[in-house]
Amino acid sequence: MARNPKPSRVIIRIRMRSLLVAFPLALALIIGAISCQSTDKSAQPAVKAELPPTGVYWNKAPLSPTAYAPLPLGSIKPRGWLKRQLEIQANGLSGHVDEFWPDLKNSGWIGGTGESWERAPYFLDGLIPLAYTLGDQRLMDKAKKWVDWTIQHQRADGRIGAELGKAKYATVAQESDEWWPNMIMLKVLTQYQEATNDPRVIPLMDKYFDYQSNLLDKSPLKEWAAHRWADQVLTLVWYYNRTGNAKALELARKLHSQSYDWKAHFADFQYKQKVVGKKEINLHSHGVNNAMAIKTSAVWWQVSGDETDRKAIGQLQEQLDRYHGQANGIFSCDEHYAGLDPSQGTELCTVVEAMFSLEQSMAILGDAALGDRLEKITFNALPATFKKDMWAHQYDQQVNQVMCSPVQRAWTSNGPESNLFGLEPNFGCCTANMHQGWPKFASNLWMATRDGGLVAAAYAPSQVSAKVANGVDVAIVEDTDYPFRGTVRLTVYPASPAKFPLVLRVPAWAEGATITVQGQAQAGVKAGTFHTIDREWKSGDVAELTFPMGVKVNRWYRDGVAINRGPLVFSLAMGEEWKKVKGEDPHADWEVLPTTPWNYALALDPESADQSLAVEERPIGDSPFSPEGAPLRMKAKGRKVSDWTLVKGSAGPLPQSPVRTSALEEDLTLIPYGCTNLRVTVFPLAAPQPAPKAAKTGL
Ligand SMILES: [Zn+2]
């Protein structure tokens, strides 16, 4: 069902206009009603801010001052398609997996004897923002049971979590085994405290940090914790800003002294191809570790104040893009760095951790390009790797994914089930960690600025509530079908007129973007920057953003091409057959087999793609990230490449472009990557057919 909300006032006006013709005697009355609804803003109930019980905290000295500050969880509510997507998630695995999956049902984090390491904290790290972003009481009650157990079972010495030695998997035999899962649980508790103001959280941290500080010399960070330590620095900064207790900064320095040096890793990057062999398959080349590491130097800069830490993320992104970058915005890792071939995979944990890293880095650094990257991953890689009802997910997704089946593909080290859609294909980490993707994106759409305003870090339909200026409550309603459409309408509702800056990210691809305020065009709007509107806002004031979404072609592996429109990447729409492999509905495992050909080269001129690719807009339905619900379609031309065939269940080596093929030109349909289950995204480019007369030079 299409849900394209239109202002009810417009509908009333149209109906009443037709009445005018038929019933002239009603004229005066109707005009009165129209003018009242159209012009008298005071008659329109203002939208009121709905603030969570805690506020914004900025870095206290001596921490480096960040560009922006995250709003407390609960400040941002989803609307439109984003709300429906979060509801799909709540009705899918995220809202139910703890009811039947043994690794949660019998978790040591609620006193059970099952998995007692990272899986419950991972699950809660997504469940809590999902519950409080949606305002879903069932999920809040569920989350509280776990939080209560952790708080009530903190030991006298400050330890948290399961009993030592009781875990089934990754035995928590000694303290150094639990530093990593405890880092996640601390992150969980920060979110829970922001949304509830539960007074038990900070005292728990107080005791835990003492406990950890006393043990770190004897049981130092190792393995996972040594690579993922920045996740705890986030909590230590959070705690320090609320308490001013300097022991948090001492502990942060201690963690740093025992950690892996990611800045050095990317300054002299050694992994320039798909990794092979035991020497290269290690925790430094591990995909999820790298996704978490995206934020590490920026997070550490808050404590170190070292300018090289602040800038290190640029070099990191450059190296990952150059040697392992993929057209969906993420890098390959199946399970380790896997190179540029679009038939390699990317693990779901890597997708959601890269998103979280970018959200945190955006708050710290205030770099508009981080928002572009966040949107690219969120709108493409994230939805593509789930079944549309979010009851099943993949471990590895492929940019060119033409068959999902239990076949041993050319992964670096993953198993044959990795690209099935299932409950825990290959390994169960993603089953636990997948939940944070959408809700944390929603809760980071807006952030606070240092001068009492708000910044739109990323765009999606939402409502933000916050305090601006010197404590004025404001709600901003963001009406948009972005990323499927290019317009965003922001209606501002301060409790009383207030002067504050509204800072709007203008994506780098949005050349020619325009912003109006109350119909007045703003000067100086520039793609790839933030545009600030600093004015007195009154209730009902409107800012409208228009981002032109031209079709853009970019080059990838072996000079293949990917088609982009705004933040969306487009892929070949393929016929698919779903076959149950094992398990029970609704959380069964599925293979997805192609029913239509996929081995096409695109026939287009990359310099004038807008002319050769016709875009059709369709309604934004209940399930926008599905093949049948795709809100955009693109018509393209392609020609089959007969010797581009299946190899070990994947699209074989991508032919070097331009590729010569004598096959007839066919009409192809492209849909957004995030709507597909099977797809080709990086296409070879067909060489122009030999022209009867002189061909263009260069080919
Ligand atoms: Zn995983």
Side-chain angles (χ1 to χ4, degrees), residues 449-630:
T449 68
R450 303 194 68 77
D451 44 5
L454 289 169
V455 56
Y459 295 100
S462 58
Q463 177 177 327
V464 57
S465 298
K467 287 195 181 296
V468 289
N470 284 316
V472 178
D473 289 0
V474 69
I476 299 177
V477 174
E478 177 173 350
D479 288 311
T480 183
D481 286 327
Y482 188 93
F484 307 110
R485 308 287 191 266
T487 57
V488 178
R489 180 186 169 94
L490 304 172
T491 312
V492 183
Y493 298 98
S496 57
K499 185 175 184 303
F500 66 91
L502 200 55
V503 182
L504 306 171
R505 190 186 116 257
V506 183
W509 48 260
E511 293 292 342
T514 58
I515 298 174
T516 64
V517 178
Q518 295 295 82
Q520 299 290 309
Q522 296 282 298
V525 177
K526 192 163 170 255
T529 67
F530 290 98
H531 183 82
T532 300
I533 308 166
D534 197 356
R535 71 193 294 273
E536 186 182 77
W537 297 92
K538 298 188 181 66
S539 186
D541 282 356
V542 172
E544 281 187 319
L545 295 66
T546 304
F547 300 136
M549 288 182 161
V551 176
K552 288 184 181 162
V553 176
N554 53 14
R555 295 273 183 168
W556 294 90
Y557 188 60
R558 293 183 174 163
D559 293 321
V561 293
I563 309 298
N564 301 268
R565 181 181 186 266
L568 298 177
V569 190
F570 280 70
S571 308
L572 178 70
M574 290 175 60
E576 56 188 44
E577 181 187 5
W578 286 68
K579 278 192 179 169
K580 198 187 290 184
V581 175
K582 64 179 181 190
E584 292 171 12
D585 283 341
H587 50 79
D589 285 14
W590 302 83
E591 61 180 344
V592 190
L593 306 175
T595 60
T596 52
W598 54 266
N599 52 336
Y600 292 100
L602 281 187
L604 59 80
D605 177 357
E607 304 306 319
S608 58
D610 259 331
Q611 273 118 60
S612 36
L613 298 166
V615 179
E616 180 196 350
E617 292 187 346
R618 297 198 164 198
I620 319 289
D622 280 344
S623 192
F625 292 107
S626 63
E628 64 280 8

Side-chain angles (χ1 to χ4, degrees), residues 347 349 395 429-430:
E347 185 188 336
C349 283
Y395 189 88
C429 55
C430 307

Side-chain angles (χ1 to χ4, degrees), residues 343 402 407-410 598 643-653:
S343 286
V402 298
V407 170
Q408 184 57 57
R409 291 172 170 76
W598 54 266
D643 56 355
W644 189 22
T645 56
L646 214 57
V647 175
K648 291 185 183 171
S650 296

